[in-house]
Amino acid sequence: MIPFLDMKAVYAELKPELDAAFARVMESGWFVLGKEVEAFEAEYAAFCGTRHCVGLGNGLEALELVLRGWDLGAGDEVIVPSNTYIATWLAITAVGAKVVPVEPTPNGPNIDPERIAAAVTSRTKAIMPVHLYGEPADMDAIMTLARKHGLKVVEDVAQAQGAKVRGRRAGALGDAGAHSFFPTKNFGAFGDAGAVTTDDAKLADRLRVLRNYGSKVKYVNLERGFNSRLDEMQAALLRVKLPRLDAWNEHRRRLAARYNDKLAGIPGLGLPRAPQWAEPVWHLYVVRAERRAELMEALDKAGIGSLIHYPIPPHLQAAYADLGLGKGSFPLAEKLAETVLSLPMGAHMPETAVDEVAAVLRATLG
Ligand SMILES: *Cc1c(COP(=O)(O)O)cnc(C)c1O
């Protein structure tokens, strides 16, 4: 039995510290916007290498509130990957702006900077690159383009906490980084949680207002805000995990290297190939195969978990039927949706499990 992801391992590893953090918050009697969130924000900003971090309710709202913080809305266009999780698109349409999807590089997973230039119009206000599967998007090229056209850039860091481009962390590469701490992410909370990292003091200040009913001073409402606050319990628990994140990501890197080694040369199997300048954190290890259904069945029979990220691209979802982007609109994203397969991966997965997974794939395709 190899689970796709072991969700109990972190508690087993850190029980005394997590229990102590839990007790500290319970005994404080203070649960929303307090010392734990403040401390977490300082620690996570330092980790990412940004001046500010604002703790929020979840990753989707982190993306959305950045756009609201920049006053984006109806009539504005935001460039977004055609190949992503639907949350990236939802943040844009939530503020009333228009999604302008751009295809990934040929084997994916991330947005192709060369195709971004062609998608820029006079209404384009921002680019929202996603570091999908923990692999950084080509931020050097994206930032060059953005500066040339006067566009804002908000990174979707949901799958890439700790990843780097030439030594700098994801979340510190654009104008703002939106993070999700959903439990399955590399840096997951024990419930919903999120944050924005940025060097922009004005944006950080606005986010603090937006997350708290539009107010800085209790019962004085400067604008129509939201309720999207990282809570004290999640902040306290995340503070226990943060010092381990780099080591956990290092373990994921070892697993990925072993997958690359053990899966090399299997016919009909495309392996992930991160660019030289990128330091991915392997949120997911995703292969491509035309015979995906057979592989999943063989893995399932062997007691090995596997998943598809993602089976239907956003433009083909019923949620976006009104955009009229039918099948064939984004062939690269559609092809990836038909062929991608995520293999077991996680900070607590034994390295030898990789060999078992690889053996099943080789026996099936080999
Ligand atoms: C998980 C995820 C989100 C949303 O985060 P939530 O905390 O679940 O709201 C956004 N974008 C991507 C790429 C994600 O994987």
Side-chain angles (χ1 to χ4, degrees), residues 262-345:
K262 302 282 172 183
L263 296 175
I266 298 181
L269 196 70
L271 303 185
R273 212 173 259 291
Q276 198 79 91
W277 43 259
E279 227 179 276
V281 289
W282 301 101
H283 173 58
L284 297 169
Y285 185 90
V286 179
V287 296
R288 292 171 293 16
E290 300 285 344
R291 292 165 62 188
R292 177 175 70 186
E294 275 171 72
L295 290 179
M296 286 190 89
E297 205 187 311
L299 289 167
D300 186 55
K301 267 200 195 129
I304 297 169
S306 68
L307 292 170
I308 298 171
H309 299 93
Y310 297 90
I312 306 171
H315 72 278
L316 297 180
Q317 297 283 0
Y320 285 115
D322 61 319
L323 298 184
L325 302 167
K327 215 164 163 61
S329 310
F330 299 100
L332 291 178
E334 290 167 26
K335 181 74 184 171
L336 287 170
E338 285 162 13
T339 53
V340 289
L341 176 63
S342 307
L343 303 178
M345 168 58 72

Side-chain angles (χ1 to χ4, degrees), residues 117-204:
V120 173
T121 74
S122 58
R123 289 173 301 281
T124 309
K125 291 288 162 58
I127 309 173
M128 193 179 272
V130 180
H131 308 307
L132 205 64
Y133 310 150
E135 177 180 319
D138 189 349
M139 290 302 294
D140 285 353
I142 290 168
M143 291 313 291
T144 301
L145 257 168
R147 291 301 168 250
K148 184 172 148 201
H149 296 280
L151 309 175
K152 294 281 196 188
V153 175
V154 50
E155 303 166 69
D156 182 338
V157 198
Q159 304 191 357
Q161 297 95 351
K164 290 179 184 169
V165 172
R166 300 186 213 288
R168 288 169 60 224
R169 300 267 192 199
L173 303 167
D175 297 298
H179 305 250
S180 164
F181 307 129
F182 184 75
T184 58
K185 313 287 186 185
N186 286 34
F187 184 43
F190 299 85
D192 278 309
V196 167
T197 50
T198 183
D199 282 337
D200 180 347
K202 208 172 128 222
L203 175 65

Side-chain angles (χ1 to χ4, degrees), residues 50-119:
T50 56
R51 278 201 272 281
H52 310 280
C53 168
V54 181
L56 300 167
N58 56 65
L60 171 58
E61 289 170 354
L63 288 165
E64 178 187 335
L65 291 182
V66 167
L67 300 181
R68 291 194 187 277
W70 289 334
D71 290 310
L72 266 63
D76 297 327
E77 294 180 1
V78 180
I79 290 171
V80 68
S82 56
N83 185 49
T84 185
Y85 180 54
I86 196 166
T88 323
W89 285 40
L90 289 173
I92 297 165
T93 50
V95 307
K98 184 182 171 195
V99 286
V100 177
V102 167
E103 288 270 69
T105 51
N107 289 324
N110 288 322
I111 194 165
D112 186 344
E114 286 182 26
R115 291 168 182 266
I116 293 178

Side-chain angles (χ1 to χ4, degrees), residues 33 36-38 40-42 44 52-58 61-62 65 179 181 193-197 204 207-208 210-212 227-231 235 238:
L33 294 184
E36 298 289 346
V37 168
E38 240 175 71
F40 170 76
E41 288 177 340
Y44 196 58
H52 310 280
C53 168
V54 181
L56 300 167
N58 56 65
E61 289 170 354
L65 291 182
H179 305 250
F181 307 129
V196 167
T197 50
L207 290 171
R208 290 182 201 285
L210 286 171
R211 74 175 171 183
N212 195 28
N227 177 353
S228 183
R229 303 170 299 211
L230 175 63
D231 67 68
L238 283 168

